[in-house]
Amino acid sequence: MIGFRNVTKQYAGAARPAVDNFSLEVYDGEITIFVGPSGCGKTTCMKMVNRLIEPSSGEILINGKDNKSLNETELRRGIGYAIQQIGLFPHRTIAENISTVPRLLKWDKKRMRDRADELLELVGLDPDTYRDRYPSELSGGQQQRVGVARALAADPPVMLMDEPFGAVDPIARHRLQQQFLDIQAKVRKTIIFVTHDIDEAILMGDRIAVLKEGGILAQYDKPEKLLTEPNSEFVANFVGADRAIKRLALTCVGDVQLEPVQGDGQQLPHVPEDENLRDVLAAMLAGGTDRVIVLSCEGEVRGTVSEQTLRSLFRAPAAERAASGAVQ
Amino acid sequence: MAERILEIIQGPIFSRALAEHLRLSVAALVVAVLIALPLAALVSQSPLGSLLAINISNIGRAVPSLAILALALPFLGLGFRPALLALTLLAIPPILINAAIGLREVPSSVVESARGMGMSGLQILTRIRLPIAAPVIFAGLRTSAVQVVASATLATFIGGGGLGGLIVRGLQRNSPEFQLAGAIPVALLAMATELGFGGLQRALTPKGLRVGSRSRAA
């Protein structure tokens, strides 16, 4: 667990602190998002964890230990680090890039090679094709995958990720996000993930910390809670006027109570059961109907869901909806 | 005339002059590298430092070679040492400028990710920044080497010896053979230096950077 205790960062000559009395707990095995407008201190907060930036006051506890008591380079070798600009080493092959921390930790050659192949596989790049290439031979999306693989290399329990999918186009980003969630389901790292994109925060986060300008923590909650009960006008505005629609995106249609199909229902649009409710609503709107047919992953009809059901789900209290199966 | 030139080149005067020339050039280059590289690593830590180093070096480069040699004379007198000092001063600026620029232009994201993964300052310098800056550093070394080999011809004016001695001797005796026996080898030596360091530069450019420049060009 990572604990921020009254952390303040005041740069010399700055009128106000970059981070102001910031306290929160980051829970093990969860993705905690730091989100906020630019200049809100979210990256500064993250970089204080591995001491790339030192706080002016307050402390950061990692498993109960003040991170200032730990050796700087050893601390960083134990924390995965991935940034938007990726920063792959251009003079080193993909496998060598991934093996950066293992090499610092003096793993033997075979172990490093096996681990690099395993990670390439994990992030969806064929090891035989990519291990000996150089970063400049890869596309932006491929480079970001390598960046994530490199951060995971020494299997650190904690990862810091600063807009790790920021440098790719929206479609590739969405795929990377989904892929990363699949990876996280397997590896269960404790992750601090910085983004300015509230949609990414809601998609990726187990918990979300919304920061406002001046490095002040505005709200720290699960995504569901943030969308239903923003605690201030700032948070409500930041999560957006479309937060009702965003809430729909948190639930899979397969997790709601389905109704049996009446008649043949052939004219109705079909959606797969892992589609989220926002996309289901979009399918209804596009099809000009108030009902869609839900198919199982094998393509069999599971039942139907109506616009009425979506509306009623919306009125139900958050806790109940979460219990009925909010995704992620 | 060609026969006379060959005769001079095969004689002891020439071989001594050539040896002096090479000794002077190599020594000046080695000392310059030993001074310029650590200095570049040091100044590249701060933007102001590298700016200062680059600008001072550029001013230094504007001083003509002969003037530097002449300036060494009152302080160190005649001989090998003042010539070495003058040539070293001449060799430092191109190496320092290129090394400072090369080190500074390593992308900050690359340095940051290295730091974030737990590399020490020395590891970042030797494993990341120097290899990435190597092509630029070698370009500076090449400029410097050619300049030193060419300028060592003037060392004879302050008693430093070298192939310039043959040219001066030729002028004094009004013997074009002696002049050419000095001038042609100097020209060839400078060209060989240029080609040799060019090859070294290509050989020492990390493969990933070559691949990069090719795909960027495509």
PDB file of all heavy atoms in Angstrom, chain A residues 174 177-178 198-200 202-203 227 239 242-253 271 274-286 310 314:
ATOM      1  N   HIS A 174      -7.692   3.041 -27.356  1.00  0.00           N
ATOM      2  CA  HIS A 174      -8.747   2.249 -26.755  1.00  0.00           C
ATOM      3  C   HIS A 174      -8.341   0.777 -26.690  1.00  0.00           C
ATOM      4  O   HIS A 174      -8.575   0.102 -25.691  1.00  0.00           O
ATOM      5  CB  HIS A 174     -10.045   2.419 -27.544  1.00  0.00           C
ATOM      6  CG  HIS A 174     -11.239   1.916 -26.795  1.00  0.00           C
ATOM      7  ND1 HIS A 174     -11.705   2.526 -25.654  1.00  0.00           N
ATOM      8  CD2 HIS A 174     -12.034   0.838 -26.991  1.00  0.00           C
ATOM      9  CE1 HIS A 174     -12.745   1.857 -25.188  1.00  0.00           C
ATOM     10  NE2 HIS A 174     -12.964   0.821 -25.988  1.00  0.00           N
ATOM     11  N   GLN A 177      -5.808   0.336 -23.947  1.00  0.00           N
ATOM     12  CA  GLN A 177      -6.434   0.409 -22.627  1.00  0.00           C
ATOM     13  C   GLN A 177      -7.077  -0.933 -22.272  1.00  0.00           C
ATOM     14  O   GLN A 177      -6.858  -1.468 -21.182  1.00  0.00           O
ATOM     15  CB  GLN A 177      -7.512   1.504 -22.616  1.00  0.00           C
ATOM     16  CG  GLN A 177      -6.939   2.915 -22.630  1.00  0.00           C
ATOM     17  CD  GLN A 177      -7.983   3.959 -22.958  1.00  0.00           C
ATOM     18  OE1 GLN A 177      -9.031   3.660 -23.536  1.00  0.00           O
ATOM     19  NE2 GLN A 177      -7.718   5.203 -22.595  1.00  0.00           N
ATOM     20  N   GLN A 178      -7.844  -1.471 -23.220  1.00  0.00           N
ATOM     21  CA  GLN A 178      -8.508  -2.748 -22.969  1.00  0.00           C
ATOM     22  C   GLN A 178      -7.484  -3.837 -22.701  1.00  0.00           C
ATOM     23  O   GLN A 178      -7.624  -4.640 -21.776  1.00  0.00           O
ATOM     24  CB  GLN A 178      -9.371  -3.150 -24.180  1.00  0.00           C
ATOM     25  CG  GLN A 178     -10.625  -2.316 -24.338  1.00  0.00           C
ATOM     26  CD  GLN A 178     -11.609  -2.489 -23.182  1.00  0.00           C
ATOM     27  OE1 GLN A 178     -11.468  -3.398 -22.379  1.00  0.00           O
ATOM     28  NE2 GLN A 178     -12.577  -1.601 -23.078  1.00  0.00           N
ATOM     29  N   ILE A 198     -10.814  12.182 -18.519  1.00  0.00           N
ATOM     30  CA  ILE A 198     -11.745  11.612 -17.552  1.00  0.00           C
ATOM     31  C   ILE A 198     -12.326  10.282 -18.046  1.00  0.00           C
ATOM     32  O   ILE A 198     -12.583   9.378 -17.262  1.00  0.00           O
ATOM     33  CB  ILE A 198     -12.853  12.628 -17.169  1.00  0.00           C
ATOM     34  CG1 ILE A 198     -13.758  12.084 -16.062  1.00  0.00           C
ATOM     35  CG2 ILE A 198     -13.684  13.041 -18.376  1.00  0.00           C
ATOM     36  CD1 ILE A 198     -13.119  11.937 -14.721  1.00  0.00           C
ATOM     37  N   ASP A 199     -12.497  10.155 -19.363  1.00  0.00           N
ATOM     38  CA  ASP A 199     -13.026   8.890 -19.890  1.00  0.00           C
ATOM     39  C   ASP A 199     -12.049   7.753 -19.636  1.00  0.00           C
ATOM     40  O   ASP A 199     -12.439   6.646 -19.271  1.00  0.00           O
ATOM     41  CB  ASP A 199     -13.308   9.011 -21.393  1.00  0.00           C
ATOM     42  CG  ASP A 199     -14.469   9.953 -21.657  1.00  0.00           C
ATOM     43  OD1 ASP A 199     -15.517   9.776 -21.006  1.00  0.00           O
ATOM     44  OD2 ASP A 199     -14.325  10.864 -22.484  1.00  0.00           O
ATOM     45  N   GLU A 200     -10.764   8.051 -19.853  1.00  0.00           N
ATOM     46  CA  GLU A 200      -9.751   7.035 -19.576  1.00  0.00           C
ATOM     47  C   GLU A 200      -9.749   6.688 -18.084  1.00  0.00           C
ATOM     48  O   GLU A 200      -9.644   5.526 -17.702  1.00  0.00           O
ATOM     49  CB  GLU A 200      -8.360   7.538 -19.997  1.00  0.00           C
ATOM     50  CG  GLU A 200      -7.270   6.502 -19.783  1.00  0.00           C
ATOM     51  CD  GLU A 200      -5.949   6.885 -20.431  1.00  0.00           C
ATOM     52  OE1 GLU A 200      -5.378   7.939 -20.063  1.00  0.00           O
ATOM     53  OE2 GLU A 200      -5.490   6.143 -21.305  1.00  0.00           O
ATOM     54  N   ILE A 202     -12.243   6.813 -15.988  1.00  0.00           N
ATOM     55  CA  ILE A 202     -13.415   6.007 -15.626  1.00  0.00           C
ATOM     56  C   ILE A 202     -13.271   4.584 -16.145  1.00  0.00           C
ATOM     57  O   ILE A 202     -13.613   3.621 -15.471  1.00  0.00           O
ATOM     58  CB  ILE A 202     -14.698   6.686 -16.149  1.00  0.00           C
ATOM     59  CG1 ILE A 202     -14.954   7.944 -15.322  1.00  0.00           C
ATOM     60  CG2 ILE A 202     -15.887   5.751 -16.078  1.00  0.00           C
ATOM     61  CD1 ILE A 202     -15.905   8.911 -15.945  1.00  0.00           C
ATOM     62  N   LEU A 203     -12.709   4.453 -17.334  1.00  0.00           N
ATOM     63  CA  LEU A 203     -12.516   3.127 -17.905  1.00  0.00           C
ATOM     64  C   LEU A 203     -11.488   2.312 -17.115  1.00  0.00           C
ATOM     65  O   LEU A 203     -11.683   1.134 -16.837  1.00  0.00           O
ATOM     66  CB  LEU A 203     -12.053   3.253 -19.365  1.00  0.00           C
ATOM     67  CG  LEU A 203     -11.698   1.945 -20.063  1.00  0.00           C
ATOM     68  CD1 LEU A 203     -12.957   1.121 -20.293  1.00  0.00           C
ATOM     69  CD2 LEU A 203     -10.991   2.206 -21.386  1.00  0.00           C
ATOM     70  N   LEU A 227     -19.276   9.602 -10.378  1.00  0.00           N
ATOM     71  CA  LEU A 227     -20.244  10.011 -11.403  1.00  0.00           C
ATOM     72  C   LEU A 227     -21.621  10.307 -10.803  1.00  0.00           C
ATOM     73  O   LEU A 227     -22.320  11.205 -11.252  1.00  0.00           O
ATOM     74  CB  LEU A 227     -20.372   8.910 -12.467  1.00  0.00           C
ATOM     75  CG  LEU A 227     -19.150   8.727 -13.355  1.00  0.00           C
ATOM     76  CD1 LEU A 227     -19.296   7.491 -14.222  1.00  0.00           C
ATOM     77  CD2 LEU A 227     -18.926   9.951 -14.233  1.00  0.00           C
ATOM     78  N   VAL A 239     -16.065  15.946 -14.489  1.00  0.00           N
ATOM     79  CA  VAL A 239     -16.488  14.645 -15.021  1.00  0.00           C
ATOM     80  C   VAL A 239     -17.426  14.842 -16.208  1.00  0.00           C
ATOM     81  O   VAL A 239     -17.589  13.955 -17.033  1.00  0.00           O
ATOM     82  CB  VAL A 239     -17.129  13.707 -13.961  1.00  0.00           C
ATOM     83  CG1 VAL A 239     -16.136  13.363 -12.893  1.00  0.00           C
ATOM     84  CG2 VAL A 239     -18.372  14.314 -13.365  1.00  0.00           C
ATOM     85  N   ASP A 242     -22.079  15.020 -19.433  1.00  0.00           N
ATOM     86  CA  ASP A 242     -22.557  13.723 -19.924  1.00  0.00           C
ATOM     87  C   ASP A 242     -22.256  12.594 -18.937  1.00  0.00           C
ATOM     88  O   ASP A 242     -22.150  11.445 -19.305  1.00  0.00           O
ATOM     89  CB  ASP A 242     -21.903  13.419 -21.278  1.00  0.00           C
ATOM     90  CG  ASP A 242     -20.403  13.283 -21.163  1.00  0.00           C
ATOM     91  OD1 ASP A 242     -19.830  13.787 -20.165  1.00  0.00           O
ATOM     92  OD2 ASP A 242     -19.785  12.673 -22.044  1.00  0.00           O
ATOM     93  N   ARG A 243     -22.125  12.931 -17.655  1.00  0.00           N
ATOM     94  CA  ARG A 243     -21.723  11.892 -16.704  1.00  0.00           C
ATOM     95  C   ARG A 243     -22.769  10.789 -16.596  1.00  0.00           C
ATOM     96  O   ARG A 243     -22.445   9.658 -16.265  1.00  0.00           O
ATOM     97  CB  ARG A 243     -21.391  12.481 -15.339  1.00  0.00           C
ATOM     98  CG  ARG A 243     -22.514  13.191 -14.633  1.00  0.00           C
ATOM     99  CD  ARG A 243     -22.005  13.687 -13.278  1.00  0.00           C
ATOM    100  NE  ARG A 243     -23.076  14.289 -12.516  1.00  0.00           N
ATOM    101  CZ  ARG A 243     -23.418  15.570 -12.627  1.00  0.00           C
ATOM    102  NH1 ARG A 243     -22.790  16.358 -13.468  1.00  0.00           N
ATOM    103  NH2 ARG A 243     -24.400  16.061 -11.894  1.00  0.00           N
ATOM    104  N   ALA A 244     -24.042  11.134 -16.882  1.00  0.00           N
ATOM    105  CA  ALA A 244     -25.077  10.097 -16.863  1.00  0.00           C
ATOM    106  C   ALA A 244     -24.759   9.030 -17.914  1.00  0.00           C
ATOM    107  O   ALA A 244     -24.847   7.830 -17.658  1.00  0.00           O
ATOM    108  CB  ALA A 244     -26.429  10.727 -17.126  1.00  0.00           C
ATOM    109  N   ILE A 245     -24.363   9.497 -19.092  1.00  0.00           N
ATOM    110  CA  ILE A 245     -24.005   8.564 -20.167  1.00  0.00           C
ATOM    111  C   ILE A 245     -22.757   7.769 -19.787  1.00  0.00           C
ATOM    112  O   ILE A 245     -22.653   6.575 -20.043  1.00  0.00           O
ATOM    113  CB  ILE A 245     -23.743   9.342 -21.479  1.00  0.00           C
ATOM    114  CG1 ILE A 245     -24.985  10.131 -21.907  1.00  0.00           C
ATOM    115  CG2 ILE A 245     -23.279   8.420 -22.582  1.00  0.00           C
ATOM    116  CD1 ILE A 245     -26.060   9.308 -22.556  1.00  0.00           C
ATOM    117  N   LYS A 246     -21.797   8.462 -19.152  1.00  0.00           N
ATOM    118  CA  LYS A 246     -20.555   7.778 -18.759  1.00  0.00           C
ATOM    119  C   LYS A 246     -20.845   6.646 -17.780  1.00  0.00           C
ATOM    120  O   LYS A 246     -20.191   5.608 -17.803  1.00  0.00           O
ATOM    121  CB  LYS A 246     -19.584   8.770 -18.128  1.00  0.00           C
ATOM    122  CG  LYS A 246     -18.919   9.657 -19.157  1.00  0.00           C
ATOM    123  CD  LYS A 246     -17.904  10.574 -18.525  1.00  0.00           C
ATOM    124  CE  LYS A 246     -17.248  11.436 -19.584  1.00  0.00           C
ATOM    125  NZ  LYS A 246     -17.288  12.848 -19.250  1.00  0.00           N
ATOM    126  N   ARG A 247     -21.847   6.879 -16.910  1.00  0.00           N
ATOM    127  CA  ARG A 247     -22.195   5.820 -15.956  1.00  0.00           C
ATOM    128  C   ARG A 247     -22.626   4.555 -16.676  1.00  0.00           C
ATOM    129  O   ARG A 247     -22.337   3.451 -16.243  1.00  0.00           O
ATOM    130  CB  ARG A 247     -23.336   6.297 -15.055  1.00  0.00           C
ATOM    131  CG  ARG A 247     -22.870   6.956 -13.788  1.00  0.00           C
ATOM    132  CD  ARG A 247     -24.043   7.514 -13.049  1.00  0.00           C
ATOM    133  NE  ARG A 247     -24.938   6.458 -12.561  1.00  0.00           N
ATOM    134  CZ  ARG A 247     -26.186   6.712 -12.154  1.00  0.00           C
ATOM    135  NH1 ARG A 247     -26.688   7.913 -12.224  1.00  0.00           N
ATOM    136  NH2 ARG A 247     -26.919   5.721 -11.697  1.00  0.00           N
ATOM    137  N   LEU A 248     -23.346   4.756 -17.774  1.00  0.00           N
ATOM    138  CA  LEU A 248     -23.795   3.593 -18.542  1.00  0.00           C
ATOM    139  C   LEU A 248     -22.616   2.746 -19.003  1.00  0.00           C
ATOM    140  O   LEU A 248     -22.699   1.527 -19.083  1.00  0.00           O
ATOM    141  CB  LEU A 248     -24.617   4.044 -19.757  1.00  0.00           C
ATOM    142  CG  LEU A 248     -26.032   4.542 -19.488  1.00  0.00           C
ATOM    143  CD1 LEU A 248     -26.642   5.063 -20.782  1.00  0.00           C
ATOM    144  CD2 LEU A 248     -26.895   3.425 -18.912  1.00  0.00           C
ATOM    145  N   ALA A 249     -21.514   3.435 -19.292  1.00  0.00           N
ATOM    146  CA  ALA A 249     -20.348   2.728 -19.813  1.00  0.00           C
ATOM    147  C   ALA A 249     -19.722   1.799 -18.771  1.00  0.00           C
ATOM    148  O   ALA A 249     -18.908   0.951 -19.088  1.00  0.00           O
ATOM    149  CB  ALA A 249     -19.316   3.728 -20.312  1.00  0.00           C
ATOM    150  N   LEU A 250     -20.097   1.977 -17.506  1.00  0.00           N
ATOM    151  CA  LEU A 250     -19.502   1.164 -16.449  1.00  0.00           C
ATOM    152  C   LEU A 250     -20.130  -0.218 -16.334  1.00  0.00           C
ATOM    153  O   LEU A 250     -19.619  -1.081 -15.643  1.00  0.00           O
ATOM    154  CB  LEU A 250     -19.646   1.879 -15.092  1.00  0.00           C
ATOM    155  CG  LEU A 250     -18.803   3.133 -14.907  1.00  0.00           C
ATOM    156  CD1 LEU A 250     -19.152   3.817 -13.608  1.00  0.00           C
ATOM    157  CD2 LEU A 250     -17.330   2.768 -14.925  1.00  0.00           C
ATOM    158  N   THR A 251     -21.288  -0.433 -16.967  1.00  0.00           N
ATOM    159  CA  THR A 251     -21.991  -1.708 -16.805  1.00  0.00           C
ATOM    160  C   THR A 251     -22.088  -2.456 -18.135  1.00  0.00           C
ATOM    161  O   THR A 251     -22.389  -1.867 -19.174  1.00  0.00           O
ATOM    162  CB  THR A 251     -23.406  -1.475 -16.245  1.00  0.00           C
ATOM    163  OG1 THR A 251     -23.303  -0.650 -15.089  1.00  0.00           O
ATOM    164  CG2 THR A 251     -24.066  -2.784 -15.851  1.00  0.00           C
ATOM    165  N   CYS A 252     -21.866  -3.762 -18.051  1.00  0.00           N
ATOM    166  CA  CYS A 252     -22.000  -4.635 -19.216  1.00  0.00           C
ATOM    167  C   CYS A 252     -23.448  -5.064 -19.361  1.00  0.00           C
ATOM    168  O   CYS A 252     -24.100  -5.381 -18.359  1.00  0.00           O
ATOM    169  CB  CYS A 252     -21.200  -5.910 -18.957  1.00  0.00           C
ATOM    170  SG  CYS A 252     -19.699  -6.004 -19.846  1.00  0.00           S
ATOM    171  N   VAL A 253     -23.909  -5.141 -20.573  1.00  0.00           N
ATOM    172  CA  VAL A 253     -25.307  -5.523 -20.773  1.00  0.00           C
ATOM    173  C   VAL A 253     -25.553  -6.964 -20.300  1.00  0.00           C
ATOM    174  O   VAL A 253     -26.642  -7.296 -19.822  1.00  0.00           O
ATOM    175  CB  VAL A 253     -25.743  -5.320 -22.243  1.00  0.00           C
ATOM    176  CG1 VAL A 253     -24.982  -6.249 -23.175  1.00  0.00           C
ATOM    177  CG2 VAL A 253     -27.235  -5.519 -22.413  1.00  0.00           C
ATOM    178  N   VAL A 271     -26.722  -7.110 -29.994  1.00  0.00           N
ATOM    179  CA  VAL A 271     -25.469  -6.673 -29.349  1.00  0.00           C
ATOM    180  C   VAL A 271     -24.867  -7.859 -28.606  1.00  0.00           C
ATOM    181  O   VAL A 271     -25.597  -8.697 -28.085  1.00  0.00           O
ATOM    182  CB  VAL A 271     -25.702  -5.500 -28.366  1.00  0.00           C
ATOM    183  CG1 VAL A 271     -26.215  -4.267 -29.086  1.00  0.00           C
ATOM    184  CG2 VAL A 271     -26.652  -5.882 -27.239  1.00  0.00           C
ATOM    185  N   ASP A 274     -20.957  -8.666 -23.898  1.00  0.00           N
ATOM    186  CA  ASP A 274     -19.917  -7.887 -23.208  1.00  0.00           C
ATOM    187  C   ASP A 274     -19.928  -6.404 -23.614  1.00  0.00           C
ATOM    188  O   ASP A 274     -19.047  -5.641 -23.236  1.00  0.00           O
ATOM    189  CB  ASP A 274     -18.533  -8.523 -23.412  1.00  0.00           C
ATOM    190  CG  ASP A 274     -18.172  -8.663 -24.873  1.00  0.00           C
ATOM    191  OD1 ASP A 274     -19.027  -8.299 -25.723  1.00  0.00           O
ATOM    192  OD2 ASP A 274     -17.064  -9.144 -25.169  1.00  0.00           O
ATOM    193  N   GLU A 275     -20.944  -6.007 -24.367  1.00  0.00           N
ATOM    194  CA  GLU A 275     -21.086  -4.590 -24.739  1.00  0.00           C
ATOM    195  C   GLU A 275     -21.514  -3.801 -23.495  1.00  0.00           C
ATOM    196  O   GLU A 275     -22.303  -4.289 -22.689  1.00  0.00           O
ATOM    197  CB  GLU A 275     -22.184  -4.478 -25.807  1.00  0.00           C
ATOM    198  CG  GLU A 275     -22.159  -3.187 -26.572  1.00  0.00           C
ATOM    199  CD  GLU A 275     -21.377  -3.301 -27.868  1.00  0.00           C
ATOM    200  OE1 GLU A 275     -20.148  -3.496 -27.774  1.00  0.00           O
ATOM    201  OE2 GLU A 275     -21.984  -3.220 -28.932  1.00  0.00           O
ATOM    202  N   ASN A 276     -20.986  -2.563 -23.363  1.00  0.00           N
ATOM    203  CA  ASN A 276     -21.446  -1.780 -22.214  1.00  0.00           C
ATOM    204  C   ASN A 276     -22.742  -1.043 -22.563  1.00  0.00           C
ATOM    205  O   ASN A 276     -23.118  -0.914 -23.727  1.00  0.00           O
ATOM    206  CB  ASN A 276     -20.345  -0.839 -21.714  1.00  0.00           C
ATOM    207  CG  ASN A 276     -20.067   0.291 -22.677  1.00  0.00           C
ATOM    208  OD1 ASN A 276     -20.989   1.000 -23.092  1.00  0.00           O
ATOM    209  ND2 ASN A 276     -18.801   0.453 -23.044  1.00  0.00           N
ATOM    210  N   LEU A 277     -23.436  -0.595 -21.528  1.00  0.00           N
ATOM    211  CA  LEU A 277     -24.782  -0.047 -21.718  1.00  0.00           C
ATOM    212  C   LEU A 277     -24.795   1.221 -22.567  1.00  0.00           C
ATOM    213  O   LEU A 277     -25.784   1.521 -23.223  1.00  0.00           O
ATOM    214  CB  LEU A 277     -25.452   0.208 -20.358  1.00  0.00           C
ATOM    215  CG  LEU A 277     -25.762  -1.053 -19.543  1.00  0.00           C
ATOM    216  CD1 LEU A 277     -26.469  -0.683 -18.239  1.00  0.00           C
ATOM    217  CD2 LEU A 277     -26.626  -2.020 -20.331  1.00  0.00           C
ATOM    218  N   ARG A 278     -23.701   1.958 -22.553  1.00  0.00           N
ATOM    219  CA  ARG A 278     -23.654   3.153 -23.395  1.00  0.00           C
ATOM    220  C   ARG A 278     -23.742   2.761 -24.867  1.00  0.00           C
ATOM    221  O   ARG A 278     -24.493   3.341 -25.636  1.00  0.00           O
ATOM    222  CB  ARG A 278     -22.362   3.945 -23.151  1.00  0.00           C
ATOM    223  CG  ARG A 278     -22.268   5.169 -24.056  1.00  0.00           C
ATOM    224  CD  ARG A 278     -21.230   6.152 -23.592  1.00  0.00           C
ATOM    225  NE  ARG A 278     -19.886   5.579 -23.651  1.00  0.00           N
ATOM    226  CZ  ARG A 278     -18.791   6.257 -23.324  1.00  0.00           C
ATOM    227  NH1 ARG A 278     -18.889   7.501 -22.903  1.00  0.00           N
ATOM    228  NH2 ARG A 278     -17.624   5.691 -23.412  1.00  0.00           N
ATOM    229  N   ASP A 279     -22.994   1.714 -25.227  1.00  0.00           N
ATOM    230  CA  ASP A 279     -23.013   1.270 -26.617  1.00  0.00           C
ATOM    231  C   ASP A 279     -24.352   0.619 -26.960  1.00  0.00           C
ATOM    232  O   ASP A 279     -24.811   0.674 -28.103  1.00  0.00           O
ATOM    233  CB  ASP A 279     -21.852   0.303 -26.874  1.00  0.00           C
ATOM    234  CG  ASP A 279     -20.513   1.010 -26.738  1.00  0.00           C
ATOM    235  OD1 ASP A 279     -20.505   2.261 -26.793  1.00  0.00           O
ATOM    236  OD2 ASP A 279     -19.481   0.337 -26.566  1.00  0.00           O
ATOM    237  N   VAL A 280     -24.998   0.001 -25.952  1.00  0.00           N
ATOM    238  CA  VAL A 280     -26.320  -0.590 -26.166  1.00  0.00           C
ATOM    239  C   VAL A 280     -27.327   0.519 -26.486  1.00  0.00           C
ATOM    240  O   VAL A 280     -28.131   0.414 -27.418  1.00  0.00           O
ATOM    241  CB  VAL A 280     -26.764  -1.391 -24.915  1.00  0.00           C
ATOM    242  CG1 VAL A 280     -28.240  -1.783 -25.034  1.00  0.00           C
ATOM    243  CG2 VAL A 280     -25.890  -2.629 -24.763  1.00  0.00           C
ATOM    244  N   LEU A 281     -27.242   1.603 -25.703  1.00  0.00           N
ATOM    245  CA  LEU A 281     -28.133   2.741 -25.950  1.00  0.00           C
ATOM    246  C   LEU A 281     -27.891   3.296 -27.351  1.00  0.00           C
ATOM    247  O   LEU A 281     -28.833   3.632 -28.087  1.00  0.00           O
ATOM    248  CB  LEU A 281     -27.898   3.824 -24.889  1.00  0.00           C
ATOM    249  CG  LEU A 281     -28.782   5.071 -24.993  1.00  0.00           C
ATOM    250  CD1 LEU A 281     -30.246   4.713 -24.786  1.00  0.00           C
ATOM    251  CD2 LEU A 281     -28.352   6.122 -23.977  1.00  0.00           C
ATOM    252  N   ALA A 282     -26.603   3.371 -27.704  1.00  0.00           N
ATOM    253  CA  ALA A 282     -26.270   3.867 -29.039  1.00  0.00           C
ATOM    254  C   ALA A 282     -26.872   2.971 -30.120  1.00  0.00           C
ATOM    255  O   ALA A 282     -27.390   3.445 -31.129  1.00  0.00           O
ATOM    256  CB  ALA A 282     -24.750   3.944 -29.202  1.00  0.00           C
ATOM    257  N   ALA A 283     -26.853   1.641 -29.875  1.00  0.00           N
ATOM    258  CA  ALA A 283     -27.429   0.695 -30.839  1.00  0.00           C
ATOM    259  C   ALA A 283     -28.940   0.906 -30.973  1.00  0.00           C
ATOM    260  O   ALA A 283     -29.504   0.845 -32.069  1.00  0.00           O
ATOM    261  CB  ALA A 283     -27.131  -0.738 -30.418  1.00  0.00           C
ATOM    262  N   MET A 284     -29.588   1.189 -29.836  1.00  0.00           N
ATOM    263  CA  MET A 284     -31.035   1.465 -29.876  1.00  0.00           C
ATOM    264  C   MET A 284     -31.317   2.722 -30.692  1.00  0.00           C
ATOM    265  O   MET A 284     -32.231   2.762 -31.524  1.00  0.00           O
ATOM    266  CB  MET A 284     -31.585   1.675 -28.453  1.00  0.00           C
ATOM    267  CG  MET A 284     -31.734   0.407 -27.657  1.00  0.00           C
ATOM    268  SD  MET A 284     -32.323   0.828 -25.994  1.00  0.00           S
ATOM    269  CE  MET A 284     -32.124  -0.758 -25.189  1.00  0.00           C
ATOM    270  N   LEU A 285     -30.544   3.754 -30.416  1.00  0.00           N
ATOM    271  CA  LEU A 285     -30.751   5.024 -31.123  1.00  0.00           C
ATOM    272  C   LEU A 285     -30.523   4.850 -32.622  1.00  0.00           C
ATOM    273  O   LEU A 285     -31.303   5.320 -33.438  1.00  0.00           O
ATOM    274  CB  LEU A 285     -29.808   6.106 -30.572  1.00  0.00           C
ATOM    275  CG  LEU A 285     -30.089   6.544 -29.133  1.00  0.00           C
ATOM    276  CD1 LEU A 285     -28.989   7.474 -28.646  1.00  0.00           C
ATOM    277  CD2 LEU A 285     -31.450   7.227 -29.024  1.00  0.00           C
ATOM    278  N   ALA A 286     -29.450   4.122 -32.937  1.00  0.00           N
ATOM    279  CA  ALA A 286     -29.121   3.929 -34.351  1.00  0.00           C
ATOM    280  C   ALA A 286     -30.183   3.081 -35.044  1.00  0.00           C
ATOM    281  O   ALA A 286     -30.543   3.339 -36.196  1.00  0.00           O
ATOM    282  CB  ALA A 286     -27.752   3.261 -34.477  1.00  0.00           C
ATOM    283  N   LEU A 310     -33.027   0.266 -19.052  1.00  0.00           N
ATOM    284  CA  LEU A 310     -31.894   1.183 -18.869  1.00  0.00           C
ATOM    285  C   LEU A 310     -32.299   2.341 -17.955  1.00  0.00           C
ATOM    286  O   LEU A 310     -31.557   2.727 -17.052  1.00  0.00           O
ATOM    287  CB  LEU A 310     -31.409   1.729 -20.212  1.00  0.00           C
ATOM    288  CG  LEU A 310     -30.850   0.738 -21.237  1.00  0.00           C
ATOM    289  CD1 LEU A 310     -30.229   1.478 -22.407  1.00  0.00           C
ATOM    290  CD2 LEU A 310     -29.823  -0.180 -20.595  1.00  0.00           C
ATOM    291  N   PHE A 314     -31.015   3.275 -14.089  1.00  0.00           N
ATOM    292  CA  PHE A 314     -30.442   4.570 -13.832  1.00  0.00           C
ATOM    293  C   PHE A 314     -30.957   5.183 -12.549  1.00  0.00           C
ATOM    294  O   PHE A 314     -30.252   5.905 -11.858  1.00  0.00           O
ATOM    295  CB  PHE A 314     -30.780   5.485 -15.012  1.00  0.00           C
ATOM    296  CG  PHE A 314     -29.609   6.277 -15.412  1.00  0.00           C
ATOM    297  CD1 PHE A 314     -28.605   5.673 -16.095  1.00  0.00           C
ATOM    298  CD2 PHE A 314     -29.490   7.593 -15.038  1.00  0.00           C
ATOM    299  CE1 PHE A 314     -27.484   6.387 -16.428  1.00  0.00           C
ATOM    300  CE2 PHE A 314     -28.375   8.292 -15.370  1.00  0.00           C
ATOM    301  CZ  PHE A 314     -27.380   7.699 -16.069  1.00  0.00           C
TER     302      PHE A 314
END
